[in-house]
PDB file of all heavy atoms in Angstrom:
ATOM      1  N   GLN T1435    -121.059-174.386  68.628  1.00 98.00           N
ATOM      2  CA  GLN T1435    -119.842-175.119  68.698  1.00 98.00           C
ATOM      3  C   GLN T1435    -119.850-176.330  67.874  1.00 98.00           C
ATOM      4  O   GLN T1435    -118.959-176.651  67.121  1.00 98.00           O
ATOM      5  CB  GLN T1435    -119.572-175.641  70.148  1.00 98.00           C
ATOM      6  CG  GLN T1435    -118.344-176.284  70.416  1.00 98.00           C
ATOM      7  CD  GLN T1435    -117.213-175.272  70.365  1.00 98.00           C
ATOM      8  OE1 GLN T1435    -117.237-174.246  70.905  1.00 98.00           O
ATOM      9  NE2 GLN T1435    -116.182-175.714  69.433  1.00 98.00           N
ATOM     10  N   ALA T1436    -120.990-176.928  67.625  1.00 98.00           N
ATOM     11  CA  ALA T1436    -121.176-178.061  66.652  1.00 98.00           C
ATOM     12  C   ALA T1436    -120.940-177.525  65.201  1.00 98.00           C
ATOM     13  O   ALA T1436    -120.221-178.344  64.427  1.00 98.00           O
ATOM     14  CB  ALA T1436    -122.580-178.736  66.773  1.00 98.00           C
ATOM     15  N   ILE T1437    -121.259-176.355  64.885  1.00 98.00           N
ATOM     16  CA  ILE T1437    -120.929-175.779  63.566  1.00 98.00           C
ATOM     17  C   ILE T1437    -119.402-175.765  63.418  1.00 98.00           C
ATOM     18  O   ILE T1437    -118.841-176.075  62.352  1.00 98.00           O
ATOM     19  CB  ILE T1437    -121.696-174.549  63.258  1.00 98.00           C
ATOM     20  CG1 ILE T1437    -123.312-174.743  63.345  1.00 98.00           C
ATOM     21  CG2 ILE T1437    -121.279-173.816  61.928  1.00 98.00           C
ATOM     22  CD1 ILE T1437    -124.015-173.521  63.375  1.00 98.00           C
ATOM     23  N   ASP T1438    -118.896-175.066  64.319  1.00 98.00           N
ATOM     24  CA  ASP T1438    -117.441-174.855  64.384  1.00 98.00           C
ATOM     25  C   ASP T1438    -116.687-176.106  64.299  1.00 98.00           C
ATOM     26  O   ASP T1438    -115.500-176.194  63.774  1.00 98.00           O
ATOM     27  CB  ASP T1438    -116.867-174.010  65.567  1.00 98.00           C
ATOM     28  CG  ASP T1438    -117.510-172.591  65.539  1.00 98.00           C
ATOM     29  OD1 ASP T1438    -117.804-172.123  64.284  1.00 98.00           O
ATOM     30  OD2 ASP T1438    -117.464-171.994  66.510  1.00 98.00           O
ATOM     31  N   ASP T1439    -117.208-177.207  64.993  1.00 98.00           N
ATOM     32  CA  ASP T1439    -116.534-178.558  65.014  1.00 98.00           C
ATOM     33  C   ASP T1439    -116.894-179.372  63.810  1.00 98.00           C
ATOM     34  O   ASP T1439    -116.598-180.593  63.783  1.00 98.00           O
ATOM     35  CB  ASP T1439    -116.845-179.180  66.355  1.00 98.00           C
ATOM     36  CG  ASP T1439    -116.309-178.507  67.532  1.00 98.00           C
ATOM     37  OD1 ASP T1439    -115.323-177.652  67.357  1.00 98.00           O
ATOM     38  OD2 ASP T1439    -116.743-178.793  68.672  1.00 98.00           O
ATOM     39  N   ASN T1440    -117.580-178.815  62.842  1.00 98.00           N
ATOM     40  CA  ASN T1440    -117.938-179.485  61.616  1.00 98.00           C
ATOM     41  C   ASN T1440    -118.818-180.765  61.658  1.00 98.00           C
ATOM     42  O   ASN T1440    -118.490-181.632  61.033  1.00 98.00           O
ATOM     43  CB  ASN T1440    -116.587-179.810  60.877  1.00 98.00           C
ATOM     44  CG  ASN T1440    -115.787-178.611  60.491  1.00 98.00           C
ATOM     45  OD1 ASN T1440    -116.462-177.673  59.844  1.00 98.00           O
ATOM     46  ND2 ASN T1440    -114.582-178.536  60.902  1.00 98.00           N
ATOM     47  N   PHE T1441    -119.696-180.508  62.683  1.00 98.00           N
ATOM     48  CA  PHE T1441    -120.762-181.569  62.646  1.00 98.00           C
ATOM     49  C   PHE T1441    -121.816-181.371  61.559  1.00 98.00           C
ATOM     50  O   PHE T1441    -122.933-181.012  61.839  1.00 98.00           O
ATOM     51  CB  PHE T1441    -121.548-181.683  64.051  1.00 98.00           C
ATOM     52  CG  PHE T1441    -120.683-182.287  65.114  1.00 98.00           C
ATOM     53  CD1 PHE T1441    -119.825-181.577  65.857  1.00 98.00           C
ATOM     54  CD2 PHE T1441    -120.821-183.734  65.241  1.00 98.00           C
ATOM     55  CE1 PHE T1441    -119.026-182.301  66.858  1.00 98.00           C
ATOM     56  CE2 PHE T1441    -120.147-184.460  66.197  1.00 98.00           C
ATOM     57  CZ  PHE T1441    -119.209-183.573  67.108  1.00 98.00           C
ATOM     58  N   SER T1442    -121.434-181.406  60.366  1.00 97.00           N
ATOM     59  CA  SER T1442    -122.190-180.987  59.141  1.00 97.00           C
ATOM     60  C   SER T1442    -122.214-182.167  58.167  1.00 97.00           C
ATOM     61  O   SER T1442    -122.677-181.934  57.111  1.00 97.00           O
ATOM     62  CB  SER T1442    -121.518-179.819  58.543  1.00 97.00           C
ATOM     63  OG  SER T1442    -120.089-180.070  58.366  1.00 97.00           O
ATOM     64  N   PHE T1443    -122.259-183.352  58.667  1.00 98.00           N
ATOM     65  CA  PHE T1443    -122.311-184.561  57.582  1.00 98.00           C
ATOM     66  C   PHE T1443    -123.632-185.347  57.984  1.00 98.00           C
ATOM     67  O   PHE T1443    -124.051-185.104  59.188  1.00 98.00           O
ATOM     68  CB  PHE T1443    -120.958-185.361  57.761  1.00 98.00           C
ATOM     69  CG  PHE T1443    -119.856-184.688  57.296  1.00 98.00           C
ATOM     70  CD1 PHE T1443    -118.992-184.013  58.243  1.00 98.00           C
ATOM     71  CD2 PHE T1443    -119.488-184.508  56.095  1.00 98.00           C
ATOM     72  CE1 PHE T1443    -117.847-183.270  57.891  1.00 98.00           C
ATOM     73  CE2 PHE T1443    -118.303-183.931  55.492  1.00 98.00           C
ATOM     74  CZ  PHE T1443    -117.427-183.163  56.493  1.00 98.00           C
ATOM     75  N   TYR T1444    -123.892-186.225  57.185  1.00 98.00           N
ATOM     76  CA  TYR T1444    -125.056-187.053  57.477  1.00 98.00           C
ATOM     77  C   TYR T1444    -124.857-187.773  58.818  1.00 98.00           C
ATOM     78  O   TYR T1444    -123.672-188.275  59.077  1.00 98.00           O
ATOM     79  CB  TYR T1444    -125.264-188.183  56.405  1.00 98.00           C
ATOM     80  CG  TYR T1444    -125.688-187.686  55.031  1.00 98.00           C
ATOM     81  CD1 TYR T1444    -125.197-188.215  53.930  1.00 98.00           C
ATOM     82  CD2 TYR T1444    -126.916-186.907  54.929  1.00 98.00           C
ATOM     83  CE1 TYR T1444    -125.677-187.818  52.572  1.00 98.00           C
ATOM     84  CE2 TYR T1444    -127.318-186.544  53.596  1.00 98.00           C
ATOM     85  CZ  TYR T1444    -126.782-186.949  52.562  1.00 98.00           C
ATOM     86  OH  TYR T1444    -127.149-186.586  51.302  1.00 98.00           O
ATOM     87  N   THR T1445    -125.865-188.022  59.574  1.00 98.00           N
ATOM     88  CA  THR T1445    -125.853-188.805  60.839  1.00 98.00           C
ATOM     89  C   THR T1445    -126.451-190.254  60.455  1.00 98.00           C
ATOM     90  O   THR T1445    -126.937-190.401  59.517  1.00 98.00           O
ATOM     91  CB  THR T1445    -126.524-188.053  61.903  1.00 98.00           C
ATOM     92  OG1 THR T1445    -127.957-188.383  61.809  1.00 98.00           O
ATOM     93  CG2 THR T1445    -126.227-186.566  62.071  1.00 98.00           C
ATOM     94  N   ALA T1446    -126.231-191.076  61.450  1.00 98.00           N
ATOM     95  CA  ALA T1446    -126.867-192.309  61.227  1.00 98.00           C
ATOM     96  C   ALA T1446    -128.488-192.081  61.363  1.00 98.00           C
ATOM     97  O   ALA T1446    -128.963-191.061  61.793  1.00 98.00           O
ATOM     98  CB  ALA T1446    -126.530-193.256  62.620  1.00 98.00           C
ATOM     99  N   VAL T1447    -129.157-192.845  60.620  1.00 98.00           N
ATOM    100  CA  VAL T1447    -130.654-192.579  60.451  1.00 98.00           C
ATOM    101  C   VAL T1447    -131.242-192.390  61.771  1.00 98.00           C
ATOM    102  O   VAL T1447    -132.067-191.492  61.944  1.00 98.00           O
ATOM    103  CB  VAL T1447    -131.339-193.738  59.716  1.00 98.00           C
ATOM    104  CG1 VAL T1447    -132.732-193.639  59.721  1.00 98.00           C
ATOM    105  CG2 VAL T1447    -130.886-193.824  58.142  1.00 98.00           C
ATOM    106  N   PRO T1448    -131.152-193.263  62.867  1.00 98.00           N
ATOM    107  CA  PRO T1448    -131.769-193.066  64.058  1.00 98.00           C
ATOM    108  C   PRO T1448    -131.069-191.940  65.011  1.00 98.00           C
ATOM    109  O   PRO T1448    -131.592-191.758  66.027  1.00 98.00           O
ATOM    110  CB  PRO T1448    -131.588-194.374  64.872  1.00 98.00           C
ATOM    111  CG  PRO T1448    -130.467-194.989  64.160  1.00 98.00           C
ATOM    112  CD  PRO T1448    -130.268-194.495  62.806  1.00 98.00           C
ATOM    113  N   GLY T1449    -130.090-191.230  64.318  1.00 98.00           N
ATOM    114  CA  GLY T1449    -129.535-190.160  65.274  1.00 98.00           C
ATOM    115  C   GLY T1449    -128.118-190.441  65.755  1.00 98.00           C
ATOM    116  O   GLY T1449    -127.673-191.668  65.753  1.00 98.00           O
ATOM    117  N   TYR T1450    -127.399-189.534  66.155  1.00 98.00           N
ATOM    118  CA  TYR T1450    -126.185-189.728  66.726  1.00 98.00           C
ATOM    119  C   TYR T1450    -126.240-190.592  67.966  1.00 98.00           C
ATOM    120  O   TYR T1450    -127.132-190.501  68.804  1.00 98.00           O
ATOM    121  CB  TYR T1450    -125.452-188.488  67.218  1.00 98.00           C
ATOM    122  CG  TYR T1450    -124.840-187.454  66.136  1.00 98.00           C
ATOM    123  CD1 TYR T1450    -125.265-186.140  66.072  1.00 98.00           C
ATOM    124  CD2 TYR T1450    -123.904-187.956  65.280  1.00 98.00           C
ATOM    125  CE1 TYR T1450    -124.696-185.324  65.189  1.00 98.00           C
ATOM    126  CE2 TYR T1450    -123.274-187.169  64.298  1.00 98.00           C
ATOM    127  CZ  TYR T1450    -123.792-185.885  64.282  1.00 98.00           C
ATOM    128  OH  TYR T1450    -123.276-184.924  63.303  1.00 98.00           O
ATOM    129  N   MET T1451    -125.241-191.552  68.102  1.00 98.00           N
ATOM    130  CA  MET T1451    -125.236-192.497  69.300  1.00 98.00           C
ATOM    131  C   MET T1451    -125.173-191.556  70.510  1.00 98.00           C
ATOM    132  O   MET T1451    -125.623-191.900  71.610  1.00 98.00           O
ATOM    133  CB  MET T1451    -124.076-193.483  69.056  1.00 98.00           C
ATOM    134  CG  MET T1451    -124.056-194.381  70.299  1.00 98.00           C
ATOM    135  SD  MET T1451    -125.627-195.313  70.431  1.00 98.00           S
ATOM    136  CE  MET T1451    -125.332-196.522  69.112  1.00 98.00           C
ATOM    137  N   SER T1452    -124.318-190.589  70.428  1.00 98.00           N
ATOM    138  CA  SER T1452    -124.140-189.727  71.565  1.00 98.00           C
ATOM    139  C   SER T1452    -125.494-189.144  72.127  1.00 98.00           C
ATOM    140  O   SER T1452    -125.709-189.116  73.287  1.00 98.00           O
ATOM    141  CB  SER T1452    -123.154-188.644  71.418  1.00 98.00           C
ATOM    142  OG  SER T1452    -123.495-187.735  70.244  1.00 98.00           O
ATOM    143  N   LEU T1453    -126.303-188.699  71.168  1.00 98.00           N
ATOM    144  CA  LEU T1453    -127.730-188.028  71.561  1.00 98.00           C
ATOM    145  C   LEU T1453    -128.530-189.316  72.164  1.00 98.00           C
ATOM    146  O   LEU T1453    -129.355-189.092  73.024  1.00 98.00           O
ATOM    147  CB  LEU T1453    -128.412-187.502  70.383  1.00 98.00           C
ATOM    148  CG  LEU T1453    -129.759-187.030  70.595  1.00 98.00           C
ATOM    149  CD1 LEU T1453    -129.968-186.110  71.734  1.00 98.00           C
ATOM    150  CD2 LEU T1453    -130.246-186.281  69.310  1.00 98.00           C
ATOM    151  N   ARG T1454    -128.631-190.522  71.415  1.00 98.00           N
ATOM    152  CA  ARG T1454    -129.293-191.580  71.931  1.00 98.00           C
ATOM    153  C   ARG T1454    -128.876-192.115  73.260  1.00 98.00           C
ATOM    154  O   ARG T1454    -129.685-192.600  74.025  1.00 98.00           O
ATOM    155  CB  ARG T1454    -129.310-192.813  70.815  1.00 98.00           C
ATOM    156  CG  ARG T1454    -130.218-192.382  69.685  1.00 98.00           C
ATOM    157  CD  ARG T1454    -130.212-193.508  68.670  1.00 98.00           C
ATOM    158  NE  ARG T1454    -129.024-193.579  67.781  1.00 98.00           N
ATOM    159  CZ  ARG T1454    -128.544-194.709  67.460  1.00 98.00           C
ATOM    160  NH1 ARG T1454    -129.054-195.933  67.626  1.00 98.00           N
ATOM    161  NH2 ARG T1454    -127.412-194.678  66.682  1.00 98.00           N
ATOM    162  N   ASN T1455    -127.537-191.975  73.507  1.00 98.00           N
ATOM    163  CA  ASN T1455    -127.086-192.301  74.978  1.00 98.00           C
ATOM    164  C   ASN T1455    -127.608-191.338  75.889  1.00 98.00           C
ATOM    165  O   ASN T1455    -127.897-191.666  76.952  1.00 98.00           O
ATOM    166  CB  ASN T1455    -125.475-192.223  74.855  1.00 98.00           C
ATOM    167  CG  ASN T1455    -124.885-193.608  74.445  1.00 98.00           C
ATOM    168  OD1 ASN T1455    -125.386-194.687  74.915  1.00 98.00           O
ATOM    169  ND2 ASN T1455    -123.887-193.534  73.721  1.00 98.00           N
ATOM    170  N   ALA T1456    -127.651-189.962  75.452  1.00 98.00           N
ATOM    171  CA  ALA T1456    -128.119-189.048  76.416  1.00 98.00           C
ATOM    172  C   ALA T1456    -129.721-189.137  76.661  1.00 98.00           C
ATOM    173  O   ALA T1456    -130.118-188.969  77.833  1.00 98.00           O
ATOM    174  CB  ALA T1456    -127.898-187.485  75.781  1.00 98.00           C
ATOM    175  N   ILE T1457    -130.503-189.607  75.631  1.00 98.00           N
ATOM    176  CA  ILE T1457    -131.899-189.852  75.860  1.00 98.00           C
ATOM    177  C   ILE T1457    -132.121-191.081  76.713  1.00 98.00           C
ATOM    178  O   ILE T1457    -132.812-191.136  77.621  1.00 98.00           O
ATOM    179  CB  ILE T1457    -132.628-189.966  74.511  1.00 98.00           C
ATOM    180  CG1 ILE T1457    -132.534-188.743  73.623  1.00 98.00           C
ATOM    181  CG2 ILE T1457    -133.994-190.540  74.612  1.00 98.00           C
ATOM    182  CD1 ILE T1457    -132.939-188.822  72.273  1.00 98.00           C
ATOM    183  N   SER T1458    -131.198-192.045  76.516  1.00 98.00           N
ATOM    184  CA  SER T1458    -131.330-193.315  77.354  1.00 98.00           C
ATOM    185  C   SER T1458    -131.064-192.982  78.806  1.00 98.00           C
ATOM    186  O   SER T1458    -131.808-193.428  79.718  1.00 98.00           O
ATOM    187  CB  SER T1458    -130.279-194.392  76.723  1.00 98.00           C
ATOM    188  OG  SER T1458    -130.231-195.431  77.609  1.00 98.00           O
ATOM    189  N   ALA T1459    -130.044-192.148  79.041  1.00 98.00           N
ATOM    190  CA  ALA T1459    -129.747-191.812  80.405  1.00 98.00           C
ATOM    191  C   ALA T1459    -130.893-190.943  81.005  1.00 98.00           C
ATOM    192  O   ALA T1459    -131.186-191.039  82.174  1.00 98.00           O
ATOM    193  CB  ALA T1459    -128.436-190.969  80.317  1.00 98.00           C
ATOM    194  N   LYS T1460    -131.479-190.079  80.238  1.00 98.00           N
ATOM    195  CA  LYS T1460    -132.581-189.290  80.552  1.00 98.00           C
ATOM    196  C   LYS T1460    -133.711-190.077  81.046  1.00 98.00           C
ATOM    197  O   LYS T1460    -134.359-189.871  82.136  1.00 98.00           O
ATOM    198  CB  LYS T1460    -133.028-188.218  79.565  1.00 98.00           C
ATOM    199  CG  LYS T1460    -134.398-187.471  79.831  1.00 98.00           C
ATOM    200  CD  LYS T1460    -135.488-188.077  79.137  1.00 98.00           C
ATOM    201  CE  LYS T1460    -136.796-187.416  79.372  1.00 98.00           C
ATOM    202  NZ  LYS T1460    -137.696-187.793  80.314  1.00 98.00           N
ATOM    203  N   LEU T1461    -134.152-191.121  80.175  1.00 98.00           N
ATOM    204  CA  LEU T1461    -135.200-192.048  80.482  1.00 98.00           C
ATOM    205  C   LEU T1461    -135.011-192.827  81.885  1.00 98.00           C
ATOM    206  O   LEU T1461    -135.850-193.047  82.715  1.00 98.00           O
ATOM    207  CB  LEU T1461    -135.459-192.895  79.366  1.00 98.00           C
ATOM    208  CG  LEU T1461    -136.058-192.376  78.144  1.00 98.00           C
ATOM    209  CD1 LEU T1461    -136.011-193.274  76.948  1.00 98.00           C
ATOM    210  CD2 LEU T1461    -137.496-191.896  78.343  1.00 98.00           C
ATOM    211  N   LYS T1462    -133.754-193.268  81.972  1.00 98.00           N
ATOM    212  CA  LYS T1462    -133.364-193.978  83.241  1.00 98.00           C
ATOM    213  C   LYS T1462    -133.418-193.027  84.550  1.00 98.00           C
ATOM    214  O   LYS T1462    -133.941-193.303  85.540  1.00 98.00           O
ATOM    215  CB  LYS T1462    -131.890-194.523  83.140  1.00 98.00           C
ATOM    216  CG  LYS T1462    -131.495-195.230  84.346  1.00 98.00           C
ATOM    217  CD  LYS T1462    -132.050-196.565  84.622  1.00 98.00           C
ATOM    218  CE  LYS T1462    -131.468-197.288  85.700  1.00 98.00           C
ATOM    219  NZ  LYS T1462    -132.218-198.551  85.975  1.00 98.00           N
ATOM    220  N   ARG T1463    -132.886-191.769  84.335  1.00 97.00           N
ATOM    221  CA  ARG T1463    -132.718-190.795  85.509  1.00 97.00           C
ATOM    222  C   ARG T1463    -134.068-190.272  85.905  1.00 97.00           C
ATOM    223  O   ARG T1463    -134.487-190.300  87.083  1.00 97.00           O
ATOM    224  CB  ARG T1463    -131.766-189.665  84.966  1.00 97.00           C
ATOM    225  CG  ARG T1463    -131.541-188.628  85.952  1.00 97.00           C
ATOM    226  CD  ARG T1463    -130.559-187.544  85.502  1.00 97.00           C
ATOM    227  NE  ARG T1463    -131.075-186.793  84.313  1.00 97.00           N
ATOM    228  CZ  ARG T1463    -130.710-186.758  83.033  1.00 97.00           C
ATOM    229  NH1 ARG T1463    -129.661-187.618  82.796  1.00 97.00           N
ATOM    230  NH2 ARG T1463    -131.180-186.162  82.123  1.00 97.00           N
ATOM    231  N   GLU T1464    -134.847-189.872  84.910  1.00 97.00           N
ATOM    232  CA  GLU T1464    -136.161-189.093  85.269  1.00 97.00           C
ATOM    233  C   GLU T1464    -137.381-190.053  85.250  1.00 97.00           C
ATOM    234  O   GLU T1464    -138.327-189.754  85.888  1.00 97.00           O
ATOM    235  CB  GLU T1464    -136.270-188.058  84.211  1.00 97.00           C
ATOM    236  CG  GLU T1464    -135.275-186.899  84.299  1.00 97.00           C
ATOM    237  CD  GLU T1464    -135.591-185.915  83.191  1.00 97.00           C
ATOM    238  OE1 GLU T1464    -136.607-185.889  82.377  1.00 97.00           O
ATOM    239  OE2 GLU T1464    -134.796-184.897  83.276  1.00 97.00           O
ATOM    240  N   ASN T1465    -137.397-191.162  84.457  1.00 97.00           N
ATOM    241  CA  ASN T1465    -138.477-191.956  84.396  1.00 97.00           C
ATOM    242  C   ASN T1465    -138.364-193.465  84.838  1.00 97.00           C
ATOM    243  O   ASN T1465    -139.278-194.167  84.733  1.00 97.00           O
ATOM    244  CB  ASN T1465    -138.980-192.109  82.802  1.00 97.00           C
ATOM    245  CG  ASN T1465    -139.069-190.570  82.295  1.00 97.00           C
ATOM    246  OD1 ASN T1465    -138.260-190.114  81.581  1.00 97.00           O
ATOM    247  ND2 ASN T1465    -140.218-189.880  82.771  1.00 97.00           N
ATOM    248  N   HIS T1466    -137.156-193.755  85.290  1.00 97.00           N
ATOM    249  CA  HIS T1466    -136.922-195.152  85.746  1.00 97.00           C
ATOM    250  C   HIS T1466    -137.142-196.218  84.668  1.00 97.00           C
ATOM    251  O   HIS T1466    -137.656-197.296  85.034  1.00 97.00           O
ATOM    252  CB  HIS T1466    -137.634-195.455  87.033  1.00 97.00           C
ATOM    253  CG  HIS T1466    -137.680-194.289  88.071  1.00 97.00           C
ATOM    254  ND1 HIS T1466    -136.608-193.789  88.724  1.00 97.00           N
ATOM    255  CD2 HIS T1466    -138.768-193.455  88.439  1.00 97.00           C
ATOM    256  CE1 HIS T1466    -136.942-192.646  89.484  1.00 97.00           C
ATOM    257  NE2 HIS T1466    -138.251-192.484  89.288  1.00 97.00           N
ATOM    258  N   LEU T1467    -136.787-195.826  83.389  1.00 98.00           N
ATOM    259  CA  LEU T1467    -137.082-196.721  82.326  1.00 98.00           C
ATOM    260  C   LEU T1467    -135.707-197.228  81.739  1.00 98.00           C
ATOM    261  O   LEU T1467    -134.836-196.357  81.496  1.00 98.00           O
ATOM    262  CB  LEU T1467    -137.980-196.097  81.266  1.00 98.00           C
ATOM    263  CG  LEU T1467    -139.345-195.686  81.651  1.00 98.00           C
ATOM    264  CD1 LEU T1467    -140.160-194.782  80.696  1.00 98.00           C
ATOM    265  CD2 LEU T1467    -140.217-196.899  82.119  1.00 98.00           C
TER     266      LEU T1467
END
């Protein structure tokens, strides 16, 4: 789907904010961090 939606450009160096938000939520949910 990401290919079809043209997520084909450079991202921010530390990664998409949406992915970092997902990781932040994972750390809170699973690790209480």
Side-chain angles (χ1 to χ4, degrees):
Q1435 189 63 50
I1437 292 170
D1438 290 340
D1439 291 345
N1440 297 307
F1441 281 93
S1442 50
F1443 299 92
Y1444 289 134
T1445 76
V1447 170
Y1450 282 127
M1451 181 57 75
S1452 55
L1453 174 55
R1454 286 183 282 148
N1455 275 322
I1457 294 168
S1458 176
K1460 172 259 184 265
L1461 290 166
K1462 178 71 173 174
R1463 179 178 67 245
E1464 296 181 359
N1465 309 102
H1466 319 294
L1467 297 173

